[in-house]
Amino acid sequence: DAGVIQSPRHEVTEMGQEVTLRCKPISGHDYLFWYRQTMMRGLELLIYFNNNVPIDDSGMPEDRFSAKMPNASFSTLKIQPSEPRDSAVYFCASSLGSKRRGNTIYFGEGSWLTVV
Amino acid sequence: QKEVEQNSGPLSVPEGAIASLNCTYSDRGSQSFFWYRQYSGKSPELIMFIYSNGDKEDGRFTAQLNKASQYVSLLIRDSQPSDSATYLCAVKGDYKLSFGAGTTVTVRA
């Protein structure tokens, strides 16, 4: 089975540019999560969706960040305009029936973003 | 207070020894607990989860949970160089996982 697929794997962009990260969750999973990982702050939840609907976006740092999930097999995380402090690894993850105790989430390989 | 706290490490153990990793959490309503392993430059991968008090064993890994003390641990027996990685403790409430900062383990050959 294909896992969570993210693109691009690596991106270097200039400050002020728009960045769009893409994610395809595991087929059949109804929860999708966007995490950000930095050395300073560790792994932080930015936003999550259930059945394509955003449920909790309290972790989104600023209005510069937005996320969408137009259908069950695709989600985007957009940063506009990007800043150097946005440099991090962005992970997309998905799970099935998230409220069940044993259900865990499965991570994609991550998108390594560098803003210069 | 952070939701999930781990011993900061790094933790260095000789090959064949037991590595002991600790994690505490603040939300008493947390229902299940996970240990992930993350190799440098890779994504986190699930090692095991536990939701009942006591011990749960899976191969060389043992997770221990004490809800009264809000404490979770992971023991790695017979540590191998391939176990060198960062170990993340994650705590689940209703729907989301909250992660600790991770403990980096180095197994010396």
Side-chain angles (χ1 to χ4, degrees):
Chain A
D1 287 342
V4 177
I5 300 172
Q6 293 187 243
S7 65
R9 291 294 314 279
H10 299 271
E11 177 148 350
V12 180
T13 191
E14 292 186 346
M15 183 174 62
Q17 297 298 305
E18 178 179 293
V19 174
T20 299
L21 308 178
R22 298 173 178 81
C23 175
K24 176 179 169 57
I26 294 172
S27 178
H29 280 191
D30 54 350
Y31 282 80
L32 183 140
F33 305 83
W34 282 100
Y35 282 87
R36 178 173 68 175
Q37 188 174 39
T38 61
M39 289 293 292
M40 290 296 294
R41 301 177 67 88
L43 201 56
E44 304 174 279
L45 177 65
L46 300 178
I47 185 171
Y48 83 98
F49 296 82
N50 176 219
N51 292 323
N52 314 338
V53 177
I55 302 301
D56 183 355
D57 65 354
S58 59
M60 296 285 263
E62 299 173 33
D63 290 345
R64 298 183 296 106
F65 287 70
S66 62
K68 294 181 180 179
M69 192 167 185
N71 58 62
S73 59
F74 183 67
S75 177
T76 60
L77 178 68
K78 186 175 293 186
I79 309 172
Q80 167 63 17
S82 58
E83 297 183 3
R85 58 193 170 123
D86 301 330
S87 298
V89 184
Y90 291 81
F91 288 106
C92 178
S94 70
S95 73
L96 177 64
S98 185
K99 282 196 173 186
R100 294 176 59 186
R101 285 187 301 181
N103 280 4
T104 188
I105 66 174
Y106 297 89
F107 285 85
E109 290 296 306
S111 292
W112 297 68
L113 174 65
T114 302
V115 183
V116 297
Chain B
Q1 181 188 8
K2 292 184 179 179
E3 290 184 45
V4 183
E5 300 213 36
Q6 297 184 239
N7 44 341
S8 57
L11 181 64
S12 179
V13 298
E15 186 174 358
I18 295 175
S20 177
L21 307 172
N22 302 318
C23 174
T24 57
Y25 59 96
S26 60
D27 183 0
R28 285 195 172 273
S30 301
Q31 299 179 9
S32 48
F33 309 86
F34 300 80
W35 284 99
Y36 281 79
R37 176 177 62 200
Q38 187 175 25
Y39 292 114
S40 180
K42 300 295 185 181
S43 60
E45 56 181 341
L46 179 68
I47 298 174
M48 62 191 305
F49 68 89
I50 186 169
Y51 52 78
S52 298
N53 278 327
D55 295 358
K56 180 180 179 182
E57 187 174 314
D58 185 358
R60 296 185 295 108
F61 298 95
T62 299
Q64 300 172 318
L65 173 61
N66 183 327
K67 290 185 179 179
S69 301
Q70 296 175 244
Y71 174 88
V72 192
S73 68
L74 180 71
L75 299 178
I76 307 173
R77 294 184 302 280
D78 188 24
S79 296
Q80 301 297 309
S82 60
D83 295 327
S84 298
T86 296
Y87 290 80
L88 300 166
C89 173
V91 174
K92 184 176 180 182
D94 283 341
Y95 50 79
K96 68 178 184 180
L97 289 183
S98 297
F99 285 84
T103 301
T104 299
V105 174
T106 301
V107 180
R108 310 187 304 270

